[in-house]
């Protein structure tokens, strides 16, 4: 005989499913917020605004970008993780919020895997390994040989201690067995300027900041961090093909919702994002920022996040890096 408690439990479960279905069918009936956990005007912010504009048109509701900065993106990410899972508060995540931060911050206030429902990776852009023109190395193999011949002589610039460029350079050091001295700056632009001036000799950064200096001959691009050659710099080899097999380091931006967001809402968001990414004007704008369009599935994006978290946690643990 079925107990009253069992009947109530089944009834509540049916009610919950019905409410979720009704919620998903009426969604969106009010504005949607996309939190960008970095400052306005950067590539993360600009990418979000390009997509938000198209989704506003598709949904007939405003899709508003809100910048909530601090702690390497963790403040904004945490705000979304703790928001109602109703599809009205989304996050534009990055390799920091859903990768490196889990290794850098001892008490991260959110779980990058458990607390989010991935929707799609929007774009990625390669880290570019660049050196000052005075460095007598024209490819990765020559740079590695130079560093091994004089351990600790070369300095490399980063955006700051614990930043993505710091972690990428440490990954490169680990995989090549070389020793370079870390010089942290307060941001990407100062780090690149430090290398352009010769204060440092090596930098890992993206095309937006390195590109003008590479074109002007103020920096030499040795390799890109993507697994395959990038359309951004098609004539520049990858680090992997230049003697460091398995090396991969990119910046990515993607949209996520709080965990528990109904799957029909995730699916609709995914469909509209992929549709927006296929538009010629969107692709042109994103390419102009040095981005490669991705538009993968929620499952593929989830797999990427899990891999990124594991990758950087392993690096920090094995190298014993400290970030206090």
């Amino acid at each position: 005989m079925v107990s009253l408690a069992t009947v109530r439990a089944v009834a509540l479960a049916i009610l919950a499913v019905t409410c979720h279905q009704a919620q998903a069918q009426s969604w969106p009936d009010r504005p949607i917020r996309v939190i960008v956990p970095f400052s306005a005007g950067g590539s993360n912010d600009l990418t979000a605004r390009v997509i938000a504009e198209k989704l506003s048109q598709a949904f007939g509701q405003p899709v508003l970008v809100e910048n909530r900065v601090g702690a390497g993106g963790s403040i904004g990410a945490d705000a979304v993780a703790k928001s109602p899972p109703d599809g009205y508060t989304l996050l534009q995540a990055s390799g920091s919020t859903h990768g490196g931060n889990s290794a850098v911050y001892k008490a991260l206030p959110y779980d990058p895997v458990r607390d989010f429902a991935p929707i799609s990776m929007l774009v990625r852009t390669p880290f570019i390994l660049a050196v000052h023109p005075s460095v007598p190395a024209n490819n990765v193999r020559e740079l590695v040989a130079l560093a091994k011949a004089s351990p600790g002589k070369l300095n490399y610039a980063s955006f700051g201690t614990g930043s993505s460029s710091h972690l990428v350079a440490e990954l490169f050091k680990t995989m090549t067995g070389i020793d370079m001295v870390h010089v942290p700056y307060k941001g990407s632009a100062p780090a690149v300027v430090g290398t352009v001036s010769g204060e440092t000799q090596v930098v890992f950064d993206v095309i937006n900041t390195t590109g003008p200096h590479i074109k002007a001959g103020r920096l030499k691009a040795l390799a890109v961090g993507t697994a395959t050659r990038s359309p951004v710099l098609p004539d520049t080899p990858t680090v992997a093909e230049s003697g460091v097999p398995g090396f991969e380091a990119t910046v990515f931006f993607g949209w996520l919702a709080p965990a528990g967001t109904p799957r029909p809402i995730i699916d609709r968001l995914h469909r509209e994002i992929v549709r927006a990414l296929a538009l010629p004007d969107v692709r042109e704008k994103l390419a102009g920022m040095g981005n490669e369009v991705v538009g993968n599935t929620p499952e593929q994006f989830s797999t990427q996040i899990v891999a990124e978290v594991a990758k950087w946690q392993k690096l920090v643990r094995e190298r014993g890096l400290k970030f206090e």
Side-chain angles (χ1 to χ4, degrees):
M1 186 172 181
V2 179
S3 69
L4 181 59
T6 301
V7 172
R8 285 176 176 170
V10 171
L12 288 172
I14 293 172
L15 180 62
V17 170
T18 303
C19 289
H20 265 212
Q21 289 174 340
Q23 178 189 29
Q25 288 171 357
S26 64
W27 181 93
D29 57 9
R30 54 189 169 91
I32 299 166
R33 281 190 312 158
V34 180
I35 291 181
V36 173
F38 297 96
S39 58
S43 56
N44 195 331
D45 174 72
L46 295 175
T47 297
R49 292 179 189 277
V50 169
I51 303 303
E53 179 186 1
K54 297 301 182 181
L55 265 59
S56 295
Q57 297 169 6
F59 293 145
Q61 293 286 346
V63 180
L64 307 172
V65 174
E66 177 184 324
N67 300 93
R68 195 173 298 190
V69 304
S74 295
I75 290 176
D78 185 49
V80 175
K82 292 176 170 58
S83 295
D86 54 13
Y88 291 101
T89 304
L90 308 175
L91 174 71
Q92 176 145 306
S94 69
S96 295
T97 63
H98 284 69
N101 284 0
S102 66
V104 171
Y105 294 97
K106 289 184 177 179
L108 199 65
Y110 62 89
D111 186 297
V113 176
R114 186 186 62 236
D115 292 343
F116 296 89
I119 301 167
S120 183
M121 184 188 295
L122 306 179
V123 298
R124 66 183 175 192
T125 186
F127 271 99
I128 297 166
L129 170 56
V131 298
H132 188 269
S134 66
V135 175
N138 295 310
N139 55 56
V140 171
R141 288 184 176 85
E142 290 178 359
L143 178 65
V144 171
L146 180 67
K148 286 185 175 180
S150 302
K153 183 178 179 180
L154 292 176
N155 296 330
Y156 75 88
S158 84
F159 312 163
T161 300
S163 66
S164 56
S165 62
H166 179 197
L167 296 180
V168 168
E170 289 297 322
L171 178 66
F172 182 73
K173 286 169 59 178
T174 298
M175 295 183 71
T176 57
I178 64 173
D179 179 27
M180 296 189 295
V181 177
H182 178 213
V183 180
Y185 289 82
K186 293 182 178 180
S188 171
V192 171
V193 170
T195 306
V196 168
S197 70
E199 187 173 56
T200 55
Q201 293 81 49
V202 182
V203 66
F204 277 93
D205 207 333
V206 295
I207 191 66
N208 278 358
T209 45
T210 60
H213 299 293
I214 292 169
K215 290 179 180 178
R218 294 187 292 266
L219 288 176
K220 287 192 292 186
L222 301 190
V224 296
T226 37
T228 57
R229 291 201 182 196
S230 170
V232 175
L233 289 172
D235 296 327
T236 303
T238 68
V239 176
E241 73 178 281
S242 302
V244 194
F247 183 93
E248 185 173 3
T250 62
V251 174
F252 70 81
F253 303 141
W255 283 20
L256 302 97
T261 300
R263 183 64 193 226
I265 292 177
I266 297 295
D267 288 342
R268 189 171 177 201
L269 279 163
H270 177 260
R271 285 195 303 272
E272 295 302 338
I273 286 171
V274 170
R275 187 173 293 135
L277 290 172
L279 296 173
D281 62 321
V282 170
R283 297 182 78 89
E284 182 179 355
K285 288 177 182 177
L286 295 177
M289 296 181 225
N291 292 317
E292 301 172 27
V293 171
V294 179
N296 59 8
T297 67
E299 290 74 22
Q300 289 168 332
F301 191 22
S302 177
T303 298
Q304 173 79 14
I305 291 169
V306 171
E308 286 288 306
V309 169
K311 173 182 181 176
W312 299 118
Q313 287 183 348
K314 180 174 182 286
L315 174 74
V316 168
R317 184 174 60 251
E318 291 184 349
R319 288 196 68 83
L321 299 175
K322 305 296 181 184
F323 303 102
E324 290 84 359

